[in-house]
Amino acid sequence: MKLNKYQDIYLIGIGGIGMSALARYFISKDKMVSGYDAVRSDLCIELEKEGVKIHYDASVNKIPEKLKKKSYAEGLIIYTPAVDKSNIELSYFIKNNIPLFKRSEVLGMISKEYYTIAIAGTHGKTTTTCLLTHILKYSGKACTAFLGGISKNYNTNFILGKDDEVLIVEADEYDRSFLNLHADIAVITSIESDHLDIYKDCEELSDAFIEFVSNMKSTSTLILEDNVAKNFDVERKGQIVFSYSSNQDCVANYCIEDIKTEGYNTRFKVKYFNTLLGNFKSSLLDKDAVYNVCDHEMVLNMPGEHNISNALAAIAVCDCLNISFKNIADAITSFHGIKRRYEIQIDRENLVFIDDYAHHPEEIKATINTTKILFPGRKITVLFQPHLFSRTKFFLNEFAIALSLASEIILLDIYPAREQPIPGITSDLLLEKCNLKYKEISDKSQLLKLIRNKDLDILLTLGAGDISTLIQPIKHMLN
């Protein structure tokens, strides 16, 4: 199906990070873009400034009249699975048999027109995608990119290239969305249990990743984090497979050495064994493989081994695209990061405030442990908003273990997003499980007062819900 025939684009849930990027894509194609969202978020406000008409109370009467007609061939209705099926507008289109497309389906259609690089994995997609996009742009390689976060270098989640050669997308495993993509190059950063409201277990999730790989183009390149490579049961003839690892003792195609931490910056060198490999099993190199070492030191303005791993994934892709290591190193040095990815809000001698999107137990562990390395011996207060009842239920014990790494915690109520409450699954239950002396729950309306009366040293705000709306009020109060 050709997308250029559509002139009127209507997005249900337009304020989401993925949907707003799609809206910007259609704006760049001079389409008439409008939509609905439940909340007038910062992204919605930015879209309004770009000429998009958005309303915030779901109503059939607010839908443009011509889009209500099944016969109108120039209208494209797009929705996100984050919007509940009971939504009035979504229900109207379904009831009247007006064609609807998921965001992932439309992204799949767009990707068919490009040489596509897809970044998949349960963690690390956004950082890898943003960094890769920045390196390509810095190196003068035209690319269009749909980002899962706001790049600080460009202050947007959508990059439009001229005379596009490459499309960069995040391959989202939620709702099996990434199965609509057919990549030329794919990265898998991690496969950890998640979205267990969609997948019954980690094996079924892993099977979806295998299907994602099987959908890649016949001549393609697959780049796997080493732990994924060791446990990933797939083999395709003609596909080139590379592995990478941020573990200095690991044997992979792309590794690191000489790691140094300087404040929030991380310095390291890249070792590479870049042989064109004919099948999956040969990507696991012999321990006696002779490596080349890049002459150019990488300076990443983001702390944590997980971010070194994300950078290495981007470096591997760029090497496959024949970007010089000098350009890669210079670009990484000039990368300013992503909003809400270990974002430093306040950095004073007696108070540090850092905000992060971490919403999975492994991400919370990585963020707290990174902070402990940066600030040894200091008191870490974590303010966490659990995201989804189902995720809280499935990972209750894992969340408790991860949060207990902090000195003290404050929990907000669970952010429901698309879900209805699950009886008995509450932040109170999670708090009980946390093995900490100092722990409490706060209502959002009382949070600023609670924080004002605390003796804070290091404050971490974590979560993927509307905790993001509290960051600036907290920062303003602490300043």
Side-chain angles (χ1 to χ4, degrees):
M1 185 178 75
K2 294 291 185 182
L3 288 173
N4 57 9
K5 72 176 183 177
Y6 296 106
Q7 298 304 314
D8 283 285
I9 315 298
Y10 189 76
L11 298 101
I12 304 173
I14 193 170
I17 195 73
M19 291 285 276
S20 57
L22 205 52
R24 283 174 162 147
Y25 170 81
F26 285 112
I27 292 168
S28 75
K29 300 298 181 184
D30 295 323
K31 306 297 183 181
M32 185 67 69
V33 180
S34 59
Y36 154 80
D37 206 287
V39 178
R40 191 170 183 251
S41 64
D42 290 342
L43 280 169
C44 287
I45 292 169
E46 290 300 316
L47 288 175
E48 288 173 345
K49 291 176 183 176
E50 294 168 38
V52 179
K53 292 183 178 179
I54 305 174
H55 60 272
Y56 301 95
D57 51 335
S59 168
V60 173
N61 294 331
K62 296 289 182 71
I63 301 170
E65 285 300 321
K66 53 189 171 183
L67 294 175
K68 297 179 188 178
K69 299 174 183 177
K70 190 177 179 182
S71 59
Y72 184 55
E74 293 186 354
L76 178 64
I77 316 298
I78 307 169
Y79 74 100
T80 168
V83 173
D84 194 276
K85 287 286 176 62
S86 64
N87 176 272
I88 294 170
E89 296 190 14
L90 194 57
S91 298
Y92 174 85
F93 289 118
I94 294 171
K95 182 180 178 181
N96 290 278
N97 295 314
I98 297 172
L100 284 165
F101 294 90
K102 286 184 182 180
R103 181 191 72 88
S104 57
E105 291 173 319
V106 176
L107 202 55
M109 295 174 206
I110 294 170
S111 72
K112 289 179 181 178
E113 302 172 14
Y114 293 86
Y115 183 91
T116 299
I117 302 171
I119 311 298
T122 44
H123 318 302
K125 291 189 293 292
T126 298
T127 300
T128 304
T129 305
C130 288
L131 182 52
L132 172 61
T133 300
H134 177 64
I135 297 171
L136 294 192
K137 281 185 66 66
Y138 184 94
S139 304
K141 193 169 185 68
C143 65
T144 289
F146 290 86
L147 309 176
I150 305 298
S151 165
K152 286 187 170 183
N153 286 79
Y154 309 102
N155 198 34
T156 186
N157 57 341
F158 175 69
I159 301 294
L160 178 67
K162 295 179 180 178
D163 302 321
D164 302 308
E165 300 173 23
V166 172
L167 176 72
I168 304 172
V169 296
E170 291 191 27
D172 188 2
E173 72 278 5
Y174 174 70
D175 200 35
R176 295 180 168 83
S177 293
F178 60 176
L179 300 185
N180 290 288
L181 297 170
H182 303 276
D184 295 275
I185 297 178
V187 174
I188 301 180
T189 63
S190 56
I191 302 178
E192 301 264 6
S193 291
D194 200 5
H195 305 301
L196 296 180
D197 53 331
I198 302 295
Y199 305 99
K200 67 180 182 182
D201 51 33
C202 196
E203 184 177 351
E204 189 172 287
L205 174 64
S206 184
D207 287 343
F209 276 91
I210 290 172
E211 188 176 349
F212 163 69
V213 171
S214 71
N215 287 342
M216 293 177 69
K217 292 169 187 172
S218 55
T219 54
S220 57
T221 302
L222 178 61
I223 300 171
L224 302 172
E225 199 280 328
D226 181 69
N227 289 314
V228 176
K230 288 175 179 173
N231 299 289
F232 203 54
D233 185 20
V234 65
E235 182 176 344
R236 297 186 67 208
K237 288 183 179 178
Q239 188 173 62
I240 299 167
V241 183
F242 295 122
S243 57
Y244 68 93
S245 176
S246 60
N247 183 341
Q248 292 187 87
D249 299 323
C250 194
V251 179
N253 293 97
Y254 295 88
C255 304
I256 58 169
E257 66 177 21
D258 295 339
I259 302 176
K260 301 167 190 167
T261 301
E262 296 178 355
Y264 297 113
N265 297 338
T266 308
R267 294 176 175 269
F268 60 94
K269 284 192 173 180
V270 177
K271 300 191 303 181
Y272 58 99
F273 187 94
N274 196 353
T275 305
L276 295 181
L277 305 170
N279 60 72
F280 178 79
K281 288 184 172 63
S282 67
S283 69
L284 300 178
L285 302 179
D286 185 271
K287 63 182 175 61
D288 296 321
V290 178
Y291 283 91
N292 294 306
V293 179
C294 174
D295 291 333
H296 302 280
E297 186 179 50
M298 306 292 165
V299 183
L300 180 65
N301 301 313
M302 301 178 77
E305 185 181 336
H306 57 298
N307 283 320
I308 298 175
S309 181
N310 296 332
L312 203 53
I315 290 166
V317 174
C318 291
D319 192 32
C320 292
L321 295 174
N322 296 314
I323 306 295
S324 73
F325 277 113
K326 182 182 187 311
N327 275 347
I328 293 171
D330 289 347
I332 288 177
T333 299
S334 65
F335 181 62
H336 301 319
I338 308 117
K339 289 185 178 178
R340 300 219 64 224
R341 268 43 173 206
Y342 212 82
E343 187 174 16
I344 313 299
Q345 301 291 333
I346 297 174
D347 187 3
R348 300 201 300 260
E349 187 176 343
N350 63 340
L351 176 64
V352 176
F353 172 24
I354 299 166
D355 177 45
D356 194 90
Y357 190 70
H359 58 285
H360 182 281
E362 290 303 314
E363 295 166 350
I364 292 170
K365 271 188 199 175
T367 303
I368 296 176
N369 283 330
T370 295
T371 307
K372 285 186 168 187
I373 292 169
L374 289 174
F375 303 99
R378 293 180 66 174
K379 184 178 76 171
I380 299 173
T381 300
V382 169
L383 168 61
F384 176 57
Q385 182 187 46
H387 184 261
L388 299 178
F389 292 99
S390 59
R391 184 181 280 123
T392 306
K393 176 184 177 181
F394 291 129
F395 298 114
L396 189 66
N397 291 328
E398 290 84 351
F399 272 124
I401 291 168
L403 289 166
S404 296
L405 293 170
S407 309
E408 64 175 349
I409 57 171
I410 305 166
L411 298 186
L412 297 176
D413 288 335
I414 297 170
Y415 183 76
R418 56 189 174 267
E419 293 185 339
Q420 296 299 315
I422 297 175
I425 303 302
T426 63
S427 289
D428 293 273
L429 179 62
L430 175 57
L431 194 76
E432 279 180 36
K433 294 276 186 180
C434 293
N435 185 24
L436 277 173
K437 181 178 180 181
Y438 301 105
K439 55 183 182 178
E440 58 191 309
I441 287 181
S442 175
D443 184 85
K444 280 190 292 185
S445 64
Q446 300 298 313
L447 180 65
L448 292 182
K449 181 180 178 181
L450 175 66
I451 290 176
R452 185 184 296 116
N453 293 325
K454 278 194 171 293
D455 180 23
L456 295 173
D457 186 6
I458 312 286
L459 174 64
L460 291 181
T461 48
L462 309 178
D466 63 0
I467 189 173
S468 59
T469 64
L470 298 171
I471 306 310
Q472 288 309 310
I474 292 172
K475 182 178 180 179
H476 178 75
M477 182 194 70
L478 293 177
N479 274 330

